[in-house]
Amino acid sequence: MCLLAATAALSAQEPTRVPPPPPPTMRPEILGRHGVVAAGRHYSVEAGVRILQERGNAVDAGVASVFAASVAEISHFGFGGEAPTMIYDAKTHEVIVISGQGPAPKAATPALFAAKGKVDGNGPLGATIPAVLDAMAIALQAKGTMRLEQVMQPAIELADGFPMYPFLRDHLVREQAATEQYEWSAKTYYPAGRIPEVGEIFRQPNLARTLRAIVRAEKKAIAQGHDRIAAIGAGRDAFYKGDIGRRIADADRAAGGVFSYDDLAGFHGQIEKPLVTSFHGYDVYKPGAWNQGPALLETLNILDGLDLSAMGANSANYIHTVHEAIKLAYDDRNAFYGDPAFVQVPMAGLL
């Protein structure tokens, strides 16, 4: 009793110091008990959280978020695009890279672009072989626990329709003149010649059919007795081979591109080891020279020999020094980087 009384008296004399509240922010701290999903839009976050709630692991959830983003974040990323992927396995302490970058079609030779004096950055001639499904299939096979049917379901529902949001509508307005000149782009993004209003349900029925065809191929493989990994491969092949692959090639060529069926049917990504550097006690990993990621590693290696802390955080000297290091690294990127399958990149020397 005496101890309790003394403690109470001490508390009355010295009030508890409460730390000041954090500064206000548009991005508040989010707390949870099981996991976290970060993505560009709430549609993609919701897909990943849903998979975690269904007892999928982090890779399952990440793949679901990527598929959802390929439907709902088409201002930046689409199902026919690219998805370089890095995965850290906490059990094995292993980092893997999945290339996730399709090559140019074989007919996209230097001679094709010589008359233009440049390689197209947009449009049919700027396209590489779609790599999203391939990369996500490899991720699921290597580190996931679920099938395509499960992780694609949120994306299928989004393709059936989601409420248009302001950022995406503004993007479609800006890109309309450049995009609707292509038949299937016009049909997909400007249905009936108009852009859906904010809040209006935006539907992509052809994409929904494609996603369902992939799932059907996987389910058929399961029914035939194939295991999860083989069935995922069958779903993946339904996109790159057969009718879908031929229709993609035909549509690309009709729009002025040079895709061939063999480009799609013969494509397959792979798992690679990452490049790594150490910076102030942290190991930083990036993909290879087919990706611009190693420029960050070179930037960090340049800065490692400088006393940034003495310059003061975000001081003029600090910002200028970091900026110049980035410029040097990106100059090397422009001069030396390329697909290691076709060119020799002196990466060891650059790093």
Side-chain angles (χ1 to χ4, degrees):
M1 294 295 293
C2 292
L3 179 61
L4 288 174
T7 302
L10 184 63
S11 298
Q13 294 172 3
E14 298 183 9
T16 303
R17 290 191 177 94
V18 178
T25 174
M26 294 294 291
R27 298 183 182 277
E29 182 180 8
I30 303 298
L31 305 176
R33 299 178 63 184
H34 181 63
V36 62
V37 176
R41 291 285 153 184
H42 65 283
Y43 296 120
S44 310
V45 171
E46 181 183 27
V49 171
R50 177 169 158 183
I51 294 302
L52 290 178
Q53 291 172 336
E54 293 173 1
R55 297 188 178 277
N57 69 10
V59 174
D60 298 323
V63 169
S65 291
V66 169
F67 283 142
S70 76
V71 177
E73 297 183 36
I74 49 179
S75 55
H76 290 74
F77 170 67
F79 192 71
E82 59 196 50
T85 303
M86 298 183 68
I87 298 173
Y88 170 67
D89 188 327
K91 291 181 179 179
T92 63
H93 304 290
E94 177 189 29
V95 178
I96 65 170
V97 171
I98 300 170
S99 52
Q101 171 62 69
K106 292 182 178 66
T109 62
L112 178 67
F113 299 100
K116 295 185 173 187
K118 67 179 181 69
V119 177
D120 289 29
N122 292 300
L125 285 176
T128 54
I129 303 304
V132 172
L133 176 59
D134 177 77
M136 295 302 100
I138 293 173
L140 272 187
Q141 290 170 323
K143 298 293 183 179
T145 66
M146 289 183 164
R147 302 203 315 261
L148 289 170
E149 178 183 10
Q150 296 161 290
V151 298
M152 282 187 131
Q153 186 56 36
I156 291 171
E157 294 171 12
L158 288 167
D160 284 337
F162 64 86
M164 177 65 74
Y165 54 91
F167 187 93
L168 179 55
R169 189 178 193 282
D170 290 345
H171 176 82
L172 292 174
V173 169
R174 288 194 304 271
E175 298 296 325
Q176 185 168 5
T179 304
E180 66 179 359
Q181 60 181 296
Y182 305 112
E183 177 187 3
W184 286 104
S185 297
K187 289 179 178 178
T188 301
Y189 304 122
Y190 307 99
R194 61 181 292 272
I195 303 171
E197 298 291 339
V198 172
E200 187 176 345
I201 300 301
F202 176 52
R203 296 180 172 86
Q204 299 171 81
N206 289 328
L207 179 56
R209 279 193 285 271
T210 297
L211 300 178
R212 286 189 168 98
I214 293 166
V215 169
R216 280 199 305 273
E218 182 191 52
K219 292 175 70 174
K220 181 179 179 181
I222 291 292
Q224 292 173 342
H226 294 285
D227 63 15
R228 184 185 73 92
I229 292 176
I232 291 170
R236 177 232 177 256
D237 287 347
F239 178 79
Y240 292 96
K241 301 177 181 180
D243 181 60
I244 295 177
R246 290 188 177 87
R247 292 177 68 185
I248 291 173
D250 290 346
D252 177 79
R253 285 182 172 270
V258 291
F259 275 21
S260 72
Y261 172 74
D262 289 342
D263 287 325
L264 285 106
F267 167 66
H268 211 299
Q270 59 187 2
I271 293 177
E272 303 174 356
K273 291 184 178 180
L275 297 172
V276 60
T277 195
S278 180
F279 185 74
H280 289 244
Y282 291 92
D283 290 334
V284 184
Y285 297 84
K286 281 291 183 180
W290 48 266
N291 176 281
Q292 68 177 359
L296 172 64
L297 303 184
E298 186 175 349
T299 300
L300 295 176
N301 286 344
I302 292 170
L303 293 172
D304 199 41
L306 302 171
D307 189 355
L308 291 175
S309 60
M311 300 177 190
N314 292 326
S315 67
N317 284 342
Y318 171 91
I319 292 172
H320 177 69
T321 301
V322 172
H323 187 205
E324 292 301 319
I326 292 171
K327 285 166 61 179
L328 289 169
Y330 272 77
D331 194 46
D332 281 347
R333 178 202 67 171
N334 295 344
F336 295 108
Y337 285 21
D339 187 342
F342 296 93
V343 295
Q344 187 172 358
V345 181
M347 189 52 65
L350 292 173
L351 295 182

